[in-house]
Amino acid sequence: PWRTDAQGHLKSDDNGDPKTDYTRWRLVNEEGRQTWRYLESDTENSAWLQTVAEKYHMGLPTGLPILPEAKSPLQSAENGLSFFSKLQLEPGNWACEYGGPMFLLPGILITYYVTNTPIPRKIKRYLFARQNPEDGGWGLHIEAHSSCFGTSMNYVALRLVGAHEDDPRMIKARGLLHKFGGAIYGPHWAKFWLSVLGVMDWEGVNPVPPEIWLLPDWVPFAPWRWWIHMRQVFLPMSYIWSKKWSFPLNDFTRQLRQELYPQPYESINFAQHRNSIHPADNYYPKTWLLNGINELLVRVWNPFLRVKAITKRAEDWTWELIRMEDENTDYAGLGPVNNPMNMVACYIHDGPDSYSVRRHRERLNDYMWLKGEGMLANGTNGVQVWDTTFVTQAVVVAGLADDPKWRPMLTKALEFIEDHQLRENVPDQEKCYRQHRKGAWPFSTKTQGYTVSDCTAEGLRSTIQLQEMYDFPKLISLDRLKDSVDCLLLMQNPTGGFTEYETTRASAKVEWLNAAEVFGGIMIGYDYPECTTASVTALSLFSKFYPDYRAAEIKAAKDKAVTYIKRVQRTDGSWYGSWGICFTYAAMFALESLASIGETFETSENSRRGCEFLLSKQKEDGGWGESYLSSEKHVYVQHEKSQVCQTAWACLALLEAQYPHKEPLEKAMKLLMSRQQANGEWLQESIEGVFNQSCMISYPNYKFYWPIRALGLYAKKFGNEPLQ
Ligand code: LAN
């Protein structure tokens, strides 16, 4: 239950809990829906045994055995798989933490607080664990420099979970926040959330007019054309902004108002601070165009021209779209930013006790993840489909799929993949601007249910590999595979490239309206080398087994896609990766797709340049290591240390491209093997993934299946000689 008294004073909370307390937690997995549950009762706790996976994810000793030492790459791959196979969950998928961004949990906590929702345990522990030790702040993501966004939001988050204002760590954080100039120097999203909580004035928030949703569809910058995450966040945000809804002031929020700013709250002229932003936060400054529009909206439209009847229509229409998003996802939502905002909108519209609020309350749990450092918010409701498809592919590519030992594991994985293919379009697809989804695979689960092009490609590929190449039960019929091909073909842009969720719906000029300040490239769906190449590779495989189905169209789509891939290759031979760090990640997908149409190191100039780029980045110790700063700066930045995951990506790129010389690869294999632990596992290194160019996100399972895949493929191509 919520730990405040009637005045909103926080009672002391449970976060001083000892580590042994972790023995009371269980991960419940209902058809891929993953939630952590704390067992209050001793009898239940002793009757319901903890699994290896649960122990592993919480950082408890797993008790998994020491394995015979791997002498050869294939043995190393098998040891890795022995360990990793123990983490498979009952429905057939693998789970993981999906943290990294430091702005998700605070939004969820503010939502919990303003809707009177009980707050899960162990969050305080996580937030303190992630505080930057030097300056006491937090950044945009776990490896970033401290910023006003990170520090103000996580300071508030900690206060909401009961951290005391006089705690030395809080004093340090507050000192930094005041050095930044106080919470008024945060970006738009911070100002929005703080206004919802009632510790900032709505005057300080640049306008988010729901009226924009009334623009006719043909308008080139109408919101239905924006990048899906932006428009789905903008949607509830505009509804709440229009209502200027704030949590009613209580003693606690009154007190917070005094902590967040260096000057007394009452003396602040919030309207003057709409555009205040600290340089540490200003990754992507607003354009003069957007600043001009904001001035007009604030000075002319809002006071003089805003018409009540039109506002009402706009609120009704945004509410309708919010409702459709909630119903289409059973209140799980597209992601962890729009979903809590939708919950606040439901709270305003439907009231505190409504079904919508109660269902959201349950569903927010799907985003929470427990690890040794405490409880955090994941970037999606999981990585279920994505990870599971890559595990099966790793086993296949490594040459281990016909070993009976792995058959039960792979069968379960295939069952999971089958269960989560999307079978029908959403009702009223056009009305709520959704992309076709029949036949697609999502990133996480069918409940979330959003088509993703490369997830569809990987799902298709895994299925064909298991069902056609290794004779696994045909759980997914040919018709359903054709559905997924149809879906992929619908996702290609006229440029030849593929976006992740939808085809591109507007010109890149809409980027001039980017109001987020902290993210780049967010206003429209762009072409991505990774999504495009994954689609080519999957379509190539499909046509190999079913050469007659839509042959001409598939060929045309592939040709166009390959032209795009070659066009966006840089002169140095690299590709910029948008979803993994960074050039190394994109090279793997790109070189594999070129190989899938027969273009390799020996036969293709593009492939050769791609390989040479990678080779020029190999480190002394044989590994590859790329810093997250590559994604931010758009140039290759070496990490100070080589990384298991990037080493595997680079090797897979070279191996798929049929790079003929063994030496650099052999050196890399030795590095992968030297980092493996005696029980077969690899340890967590630096963060692996990225979005919006500036925000990093963890893919903890990458350190398992990419090395397994690379080690096995190496053994296939260069032989499984002992390496040491
Ligand atoms: C993801 C996660 C998966 C990722 C891949 C499939 C790996 C990629 O190839 C395509 C894009 C996609 C689906 C993707 C898009 C953006 C997401 C959903 C994320 C990086 C996870 C979190 C992020 C989301 C936008 C976070 C919330 C933040 C906002 C700015 C709204």
Side-chain angles (χ1 to χ4, degrees):
W2 177 240
R3 295 177 298 273
T4 48
D5 58 25
Q7 285 76 46
H9 287 298
L10 289 150
K11 296 183 192 148
S12 76
D13 78 9
D14 56 78
N15 276 285
D17 45 16
K19 183 100 187 177
T20 50
D21 181 54
Y22 275 95
T23 55
R24 287 188 172 266
W25 286 89
R26 301 295 182 275
L27 177 61
V28 181
N29 190 332
E30 298 148 305
E31 293 179 66
R33 177 189 185 190
Q34 295 161 178
T35 48
W36 285 91
R37 193 177 301 165
Y38 182 81
L39 304 181
E40 301 277 356
S41 116
D42 289 341
T43 32
E44 200 179 5
N45 190 35
S46 41
W48 180 353
L49 294 184
Q50 262 184 344
T51 63
V52 170
E54 284 160 343
K55 291 182 190 156
Y56 173 78
H57 291 306
M58 291 187 289
L60 300 176
T62 56
L64 287 177
I66 291 188
L67 301 170
E69 196 194 330
K71 298 257 180 340
S72 70
L74 196 58
Q75 266 175 333
S76 167
E78 288 193 274
N79 281 359
L81 193 55
S82 285
F83 181 91
F84 194 50
S85 64
K86 304 288 191 315
L87 305 185
Q88 188 178 28
L89 303 176
E90 223 296 301
N93 70 304
W94 278 258
C96 64
E97 171 203 344
Y98 195 37
M102 285 308 292
F103 59 93
L104 302 174
L105 197 46
I108 292 178
L109 286 170
I110 290 173
T111 302
Y112 280 146
Y113 187 78
V114 303
T115 60
N116 269 299
T117 300
I119 296 190
R121 299 160 184 261
K122 291 212 184 286
I123 290 175
K124 188 159 101 184
R125 182 187 185 106
Y126 179 76
L127 293 171
F128 276 137
R130 284 296 165 183
Q131 186 175 26
N132 287 336
E134 322 81 58
D135 58 13
W138 294 262
L140 188 61
H141 57 88
I142 53 174
E143 293 190 10
H145 62 265
S146 297
S147 65
C148 190
F149 190 19
T151 307
S152 58
M153 294 293 279
N154 287 292
Y155 181 89
V156 169
L158 269 165
R159 294 287 280 123
L160 290 175
V161 292
H164 198 275
E165 55 175 310
D166 293 332
D167 184 312
R169 297 165 292 186
M170 297 299 277
I171 294 174
K172 197 165 174 192
R174 200 162 58 235
L176 181 70
L177 181 57
H178 290 185
K179 230 164 72 198
F180 283 138
I184 36 180
Y185 285 86
H188 189 240
W189 281 12
K191 291 176 166 128
F192 169 85
W193 276 122
L194 297 179
S195 301
V196 169
L197 183 58
V199 297
M200 186 175 288
D201 194 287
W202 281 108
E203 298 260 290
V205 185
N206 270 317
V208 199
E211 282 84 348
I212 298 183
W213 284 96
L214 297 178
L215 288 173
D217 285 352
W218 56 262
V219 173
F221 54 88
W224 74 276
R225 300 172 185 274
W226 300 358
W227 182 45
I228 193 166
H229 278 280
M230 271 312 111
R231 73 165 189 269
Q232 292 298 70
V233 168
F234 185 88
L235 180 71
M237 207 181 212
S238 67
Y239 183 84
I240 298 165
W241 177 85
S242 193
K243 300 281 185 198
K244 302 285 165 5
W245 188 89
S246 289
F247 182 71
L249 199 61
N250 63 24
D251 288 350
F252 171 66
T253 50
R254 192 171 295 119
Q255 161 75 27
L256 258 185
R257 285 181 168 190
Q258 302 309 327
E259 295 170 27
L260 293 175
Y261 312 93
Q263 64 275 63
Y265 185 84
E266 296 68 29
S267 72
I268 303 173
N269 181 345
F270 282 98
Q272 273 180 1
H273 284 289
R274 276 185 297 111
N275 294 311
S276 300
I277 177 139
H278 193 272
D281 294 68
N282 209 3
Y283 288 81
Y284 299 92
K286 299 198 292 296
T287 57
W288 58 266
L289 179 69
L290 180 60
N291 283 327
I293 294 174
N294 279 336
E295 289 317 301
L296 281 177
L297 290 175
V298 171
R299 291 177 203 284
V300 186
W301 172 75
N302 198 32
F304 304 115
L305 302 178
R306 204 172 180 206
V307 179
K308 275 221 170 69
I310 297 179
T311 302
K312 165 92 175 51
R313 265 186 52 207
E315 287 176 356
D316 289 348
W317 176 227
T318 45
W319 170 254
E320 174 71 2
L321 290 172
I322 290 168
R323 190 189 58 75
M324 291 180 85
E325 154 79 349
D326 281 346
E327 286 179 7
N328 285 332
T329 60
D330 190 10
Y331 297 83
L334 170 66
V337 181
N338 82 319
N339 193 45
M341 286 185 191
N342 274 16
M343 177 165 173
V344 175
C346 289
Y347 190 85
I348 299 169
H349 186 276
D350 291 345
D353 262 333
S354 56
Y355 172 77
S356 61
V357 169
R358 280 183 283 123
R359 191 68 183 145
H360 268 298
R361 190 169 280 150
E362 289 164 15
R363 279 295 183 183
L364 273 184
N365 277 323
D366 303 15
Y367 286 98
M368 306 306 285
W369 186 262
L370 186 64
K371 64 185 290 203
E373 278 176 337
M375 179 79 83
L376 65 136
N378 278 346
T380 55
N381 60 340
V383 191
Q384 296 86 330
V385 168
W386 184 248
D387 275 343
T388 304
T389 58
F390 280 126
V391 180
T392 68
Q393 291 181 29
V395 182
V396 168
V397 174
L400 299 168
D402 36 21
D403 185 337
K405 188 159 140 207
W406 307 117
R407 218 174 157 87
M409 173 189 87
L410 292 173
T411 309
K412 287 239 83 168
L414 180 59
E415 281 168 11
F416 187 83
I417 293 169
E418 187 281 321
D419 189 28
H420 287 271
Q421 186 184 19
L422 304 170
R423 309 285 295 274
E424 296 297 338
N425 286 330
V426 297
D428 294 322
Q429 170 178 299
E430 278 77 29
K431 184 175 170 197
C432 56
Y433 309 117
R434 290 280 297 258
Q435 175 80 23
H436 174 100
R437 74 169 191 183
K438 183 176 180 195
W441 272 275
F443 177 71
S444 55
T445 63
K446 62 184 172 190
T447 309
Q448 192 260 6
Y450 275 85
T451 305
V452 182
S453 60
D454 52 353
C455 299
T456 303
E458 303 306 346
L460 177 60
R461 202 171 161 199
S462 296
T463 309
I464 297 176
Q465 285 177 342
L466 293 179
Q467 295 190 172
E468 295 303 326
M469 293 165 56
Y470 288 92
D471 214 26
F472 276 75
K474 301 237 179 328
L475 301 182
I476 303 179
S477 66
L478 179 55
D479 279 344
R480 286 171 63 183
L481 292 182
K482 289 178 180 170
D483 286 345
S484 78
V485 169
D486 294 348
C487 177
L488 267 185
L489 289 176
L490 280 174
M491 294 193 80
Q492 189 169 36
N493 286 317
T495 55
F498 286 71
T499 309
E500 75 302 51
Y501 293 98
E502 297 167 338
T503 48
T504 302
R505 297 174 174 186
S507 139
K509 293 200 178 73
V510 177
E511 205 58 48
W512 293 348
L513 303 179
N514 178 351
E517 297 156 320
V518 283
F519 304 120
I522 55 167
M523 290 307 289
I524 63 161
Y526 292 91
D527 291 327
Y528 294 108
E530 299 99 303
C531 299
T532 311
T533 52
S535 303
V536 169
T537 308
L539 290 172
S540 296
L541 186 69
F542 177 83
S543 296
K544 226 164 114 186
F545 287 91
Y546 309 101
D548 299 333
Y549 185 69
R550 297 186 70 179
E553 285 148 294
I554 292 179
K555 176 158 186 320
K558 277 168 55 184
D559 288 349
K560 241 174 132 181
V562 171
T563 311
Y564 158 82
I565 294 163
K566 292 183 175 172
R567 193 169 65 236
V568 297
Q569 185 175 25
R570 297 183 171 198
T571 42
D572 62 5
S574 68
W575 286 270
Y576 176 80
S578 297
W579 307 110
I581 301 168
C582 171
F583 295 96
T584 326
Y585 180 74
M588 171 178 68
F589 286 98
L591 292 178
E592 187 176 20
S593 75
L594 289 179
S596 84
I597 54 153
E599 295 202 21
T600 58
F601 183 85
E602 305 277 1
T603 63
S604 146
E605 130 96 12
N606 298 84
S607 174
R608 190 175 49 71
R609 284 197 295 126
C611 292
E612 272 157 11
F613 173 82
L614 281 177
L615 290 163
S616 74
K617 303 298 179 196
Q618 190 173 21
K619 286 176 178 285
E620 265 305 293
D621 64 2
W624 275 260
E626 198 181 347
S627 158
Y628 76 82
L629 292 170
S630 287
S631 307
E632 225 177 274
K633 300 193 189 319
H634 293 246
V635 288
Y636 194 101
V637 182
Q638 290 278 3
H639 197 294
E640 69 266 6
K641 200 172 161 230
S642 52
Q643 303 286 309
V644 160
C645 177
Q646 284 158 340
T647 303
W649 290 340
C651 290
L652 282 163
L654 293 167
L655 289 164
E656 292 289 355
Q658 296 180 35
Y659 178 72
H661 307 294
K662 185 172 165 180
E663 299 70 37
L665 290 156
E666 186 182 312
K667 234 175 136 186
M669 291 303 127
K670 286 185 183 159
L671 180 100
L672 292 181
M673 290 167 67
S674 74
R675 296 269 174 94
Q676 190 171 31
Q677 308 297 301
N679 59 4
E681 78 174 305
W682 282 276
L683 302 179
Q684 184 60 37
E685 300 178 336
S686 293
I687 200 156
E688 304 87 353
V690 57
F691 59 93
N692 303 347
Q693 302 164 36
S694 57
C695 194
M696 307 304 135
I697 187 158
S698 309
Y699 288 81
N701 289 333
Y702 280 3
K703 63 179 172 286
F704 292 104
Y705 53 72
W706 295 117
I708 292 173
R709 183 164 171 161
L711 287 157
L713 187 59
Y714 172 91
K716 254 197 217 166
K717 300 225 167 178
F718 289 105
N720 191 30
E721 315 292 283
L723 290 183
Q724 236 136 39

